[in-house]
Amino acid sequence: MMQEVLHSFGFDPEQFELSPLGSGLIHQTWLVKAGGVGSYVLQEVNTSVFKKPGDIAANMDLLEQHLREFHPAYFLPLPIKTLTGKPFVQLKGETFRMFHFVRNSHAFTRCETPQQAYEAARQFGNFTAAFSHFNAEKLNLTIPGFHDLSHRWAQFQYAIKNGSKERLKKNQNDIDLFSKGYSIVETFELIKSDKDFKQHVIHHDTKISNILFDDMDKGICVIDLDTVMPGYFISDLGDMMRTYLSPADEEEKDFSKISIRTEYVEAILKGYLEKMSVCLSEKEIRYCFYSGEFMIYMQALRFMTDHLNNDQYYGARYENHNLVRALNQICLLEQYRKIKPEFQSVMASFGSPS
């Protein structure tokens, strides 16, 4: 089948070698390489997660048209068309697409320095800013309800009523703990009804591995655009807070290792607001701290909901895996809230409302 896929993109399969690339959890990816000809990235789209790959392709076309007209120098790696002009190949129920391999680039799996945090935040800020005059509501919702905290709360409530009876009984204290975060949901409800909060072109998955860096560790570009949809800036800024600030990730079982590296706060805000400060209303900027609460709590809810549903979505590598992940994120939320005074001081140093 791979031979047919390569033929569809105009390549002679006998000239190219395929090798696994990256450690992504959603799509399967290969490096397609041939000496003297060039290197490409071949990816099989996970249609269990992205049920309508055509919607992703349509979004990419809209973004490309906008950049070509208004920001022709902005670099965004987009899929290569097939010989028949299609954005992907479908064979035997599988969907494949191809990208140019970005030369002299690399990605990080963890954010290990404030400079990396700054570069990544700057790239994600540049990305949304490049579409500041684009009507984000034209984009398809590739994962409906993805960062809708009200929706995630409703799923949590449903799990409380219909989840595993054994786990519901055993984890009642944890359920009560999670329910105390409802004020974060209430704030999100207010944001959705507030005209000062704009629907931007949002990446929705701002982990460090979705930025390519050059040999000097300077950010080159944003990648993995499948979750690009209309959304609030709190999604992208908040996910950077969630995934960059602590040296311990969401898989850490020893919660004593969860802490907030305050120097990373300044790096993220500096990088992101370098471009986005002129794209955000004064009221939006006042919710920069809330963005971290929003994303950390939402991910905690998602893990807890899955635990109560017997690990149907994320799966589990050991007993109570998703419960550990959920409590890990609640611990992170507690640590994050402690640095609010330092956060506000950083915002004030930028001349931004806190």
Side-chain angles (χ1 to χ4, degrees):
M1 184 165 62
M2 289 301 190
Q3 289 186 335
E4 291 183 64
V5 171
L6 290 174
H7 271 305
S8 297
F9 287 100
F11 300 136
D12 181 353
E14 294 184 1
Q15 293 183 11
F16 287 83
E17 294 181 2
L18 270 71
S19 58
L21 180 66
S23 56
L25 300 177
I26 303 299
H27 305 305
Q28 191 168 1
T29 307
W30 299 268
L31 178 63
V32 183
K33 193 173 182 180
V37 180
S39 297
Y40 301 85
V41 175
L42 177 65
Q43 196 168 64
E44 181 181 352
V45 179
N46 185 335
T47 52
S48 295
V49 176
F50 297 97
K51 301 183 185 302
K52 297 180 179 180
D55 284 354
I56 297 174
N59 285 353
M60 296 306 100
D61 283 343
L62 287 172
L63 298 183
E64 184 177 20
Q65 290 169 19
H66 178 83
L67 292 177
R68 190 185 303 121
E69 183 174 357
F70 297 102
H71 301 283
Y74 184 87
F75 177 54
L76 192 64
L78 295 167
I80 299 169
K81 304 292 186 184
T82 67
L83 291 176
T84 57
K86 296 181 179 179
F88 50 76
V89 176
Q90 290 181 310
L91 290 172
K92 300 178 182 179
E94 307 293 343
T95 301
F96 298 88
R97 60 191 175 188
M98 187 84 75
F99 300 85
H100 287 286
F101 180 79
V102 180
R103 295 178 59 191
N104 301 317
S105 69
H106 62 276
F108 297 101
T109 56
R110 287 194 178 195
C111 187
E112 298 174 346
T113 68
Q115 185 63 24
Q116 290 173 7
Y118 165 79
E119 290 290 336
R122 184 173 180 273
Q123 287 297 323
F124 284 118
N126 281 343
F127 171 76
T128 296
F131 299 97
S132 60
H133 299 296
F134 175 85
N135 181 3
E137 294 183 4
K138 290 182 178 180
L139 297 175
N140 294 304
L141 299 179
T142 56
I143 305 182
F146 187 42
H147 282 186
D148 185 337
L149 182 55
S150 305
H151 171 63
R152 298 303 183 185
W153 175 261
Q155 290 179 320
F156 175 57
Q157 295 303 304
Y158 185 85
I160 290 174
K161 294 177 181 178
N162 301 283
S164 163
K165 288 183 172 55
E166 179 184 351
R167 291 186 173 184
L168 285 166
K169 183 178 180 180
K170 187 176 181 180
N171 300 124
Q172 187 57 56
N173 289 338
D174 296 319
I175 291 169
D176 293 342
L177 174 65
F178 277 75
S179 297
K180 290 178 181 177
Y182 184 63
S183 62
I184 301 175
V185 184
E186 291 179 312
T187 299
F188 181 65
E189 290 287 348
L190 293 174
I191 285 173
K192 289 194 294 183
S193 62
D194 193 327
K195 60 179 175 56
D196 286 329
F197 284 84
K198 178 184 175 182
Q199 290 276 303
H200 301 270
V201 175
I202 296 298
H203 188 280
H204 286 102
D205 189 8
T206 54
K207 58 180 178 284
I208 195 79
S209 58
N210 281 333
I211 295 294
L212 292 183
F213 290 79
D214 65 18
D215 292 338
M216 301 296 291
D217 284 351
K218 298 292 185 182
I220 299 174
C221 63
V222 169
I223 60 172
D224 197 357
L225 305 172
D226 298 337
T227 54
V228 172
M229 294 178 279
Y232 299 106
F233 86 97
I234 56 175
S235 288
D236 280 4
L237 182 59
D239 203 30
M240 286 185 275
M241 297 294 176
R242 187 183 80 84
T243 58
Y244 299 0
L245 294 187
S246 177
D249 65 16
E250 63 197 25
E251 297 295 337
E252 182 56 61
K253 300 177 187 178
D254 182 354
F255 297 169
S256 68
K257 295 181 180 179
I258 298 172
S259 61
I260 300 296
R261 302 177 289 191
T262 52
E263 66 272 26
Y264 285 64
V265 172
E266 182 173 1
I268 293 169
L269 291 173
K270 181 180 178 183
Y272 190 71
L273 294 176
E274 230 172 67
K275 287 290 186 179
M276 283 299 293
S277 60
V278 296
C279 303
L280 299 174
S281 68
E282 184 174 314
K283 192 168 188 180
E284 283 177 305
I285 290 177
R286 287 202 296 270
Y287 281 73
C288 283
F289 182 79
Y290 171 79
S291 71
E293 294 180 304
F294 167 77
M295 280 303 303
I296 296 168
Y297 182 65
M298 181 161 58
Q299 192 57 54
L301 273 186
R302 293 182 67 188
F303 284 140
M304 190 63 189
T305 298
D306 201 35
H307 173 70
L308 297 178
N309 288 333
N310 284 324
D311 313 308
Q312 294 178 6
Y313 184 81
Y314 288 109
R317 295 197 300 273
Y318 57 86
E319 184 69 20
N320 293 327
H321 188 176
N322 284 305
L323 176 62
V324 170
R325 287 164 159 164
L327 294 174
N328 167 302
Q329 292 294 282
I330 287 297
C331 179
L332 178 63
L333 179 60
E334 291 170 351
Q335 295 296 318
Y336 177 73
R337 283 176 158 171
K338 290 178 182 177
I339 59 100
K340 188 170 185 179
E342 290 92 332
F343 193 104
Q344 291 174 326
S345 294
V346 171
M347 292 295 292
S349 72
F350 294 153
S352 301
S354 58

